[in-house]
Amino acid sequence: MTGPTPAFRRVGVEEIYRGYVIKVTNASFEGPAGERFTRDVIYSPGAVGIIPVLDGPDGPHTLLVRQYRASIEDWLMEIPAGLRDKPGEDPAETAARELIEETGFAAERFDLLTVFLNAAGMTDQRTHLYLARDLTEVGASADGVEETYLELHRIALRDIRGMIERCELTDAKTIIGLLLARELRS
């Protein structure tokens, strides 16, 4: 496309539901030629995902958690992660807190790998992905019923590609984060 970017603007928002961390709305917009349209929009404080990396005699490993996810009514293998549900908390602080809660490990270093939009067609949620290095075991401090029952798995980074290809890993943040971490470590 050449030339100036067409202008769109939001002209109204009707709140449908406000929960603990999200707000569901019906938002009205106006297009470049004045046409009106509405979209369901979910506003979220965002999330973090952490790829903890441990060096071992047979190469680098990561820690994955298998936990129950109510939205899919099933268990999911994924990287440690969490919502940015504490107002004013920096994403790196959220990552440090979630890593301890879910894995029992603390990291000396958190390197931001990327920030991505989860589903821009319906939500403003952004996820910050961090590579966690120089880990020390400190003991888990589960926060919530799902974390109480989660399982911790140590997986070799060299095995990640095959797990994705076999659909053993299906979570977007997990796939993005692990492929970036694997690329950096190879």
Side-chain angles (χ1 to χ4, degrees):
M1 178 182 228
T2 59
T5 302
F8 288 82
R9 68 185 185 98
R10 186 176 67 194
V11 294
V13 176
E14 176 191 357
E15 187 173 302
I16 307 297
Y17 171 79
R18 181 180 293 265
Y20 169 63
V21 291
I22 65 165
K23 179 172 69 169
V24 179
T25 69
N26 185 272
S28 301
F29 296 87
E30 186 175 273
E35 60 272 46
R36 295 275 177 126
F37 61 99
T38 61
R39 295 290 181 264
D40 293 334
V41 179
I42 302 168
Y43 294 98
S44 164
V48 299
I50 309 101
I51 303 86
V53 175
L54 297 155
D55 289 316
D58 58 341
H61 286 73
T62 191
L63 300 171
L64 298 180
V65 296
R66 183 174 177 267
Q67 66 179 319
Y68 182 77
R69 290 298 194 179
S71 61
I72 62 170
E73 298 182 42
D74 203 355
W75 290 76
L76 186 66
M77 182 79 81
E78 60 188 306
I79 59 176
L83 289 172
R84 296 189 54 218
D85 56 355
K86 299 203 182 308
E89 187 175 61
D90 182 79
E93 292 175 58
T94 306
R97 178 174 51 79
E98 289 290 344
L99 181 63
I100 292 170
E101 286 176 8
E102 294 191 6
T103 70
F105 282 84
E108 289 291 319
R109 283 181 52 193
F110 285 90
D111 299 323
L112 182 64
L113 293 174
T114 194
V115 179
F116 69 91
L117 292 164
N118 292 61
M122 66 177 204
T123 181
D124 68 343
Q125 184 173 337
R126 287 174 168 75
T127 297
H128 293 70
L129 290 178
Y130 290 92
L131 184 65
R133 303 181 202 216
D134 304 325
L135 303 177
T136 304
E137 194 163 4
V138 296
S141 59
D143 180 31
V145 67
E146 294 98 333
E147 287 181 6
T148 300
Y149 296 98
L150 70 74
E151 301 169 0
L152 188 61
H153 295 265
R154 187 174 172 149
I155 307 290
L157 283 180
R158 70 175 179 275
D159 296 337
I160 295 302
R161 178 81 185 226
M163 292 177 75
I164 294 168
E165 290 171 353
R166 292 186 303 274
C167 298
E168 294 169 18
L169 299 173
T170 56
D171 175 64
K173 72 182 173 308
T174 299
I175 293 169
I176 294 167
L178 288 173
L179 288 178
L180 287 173
R182 188 173 167 264
E183 183 177 299
L184 288 174
R185 299 294 298 195
S186 49

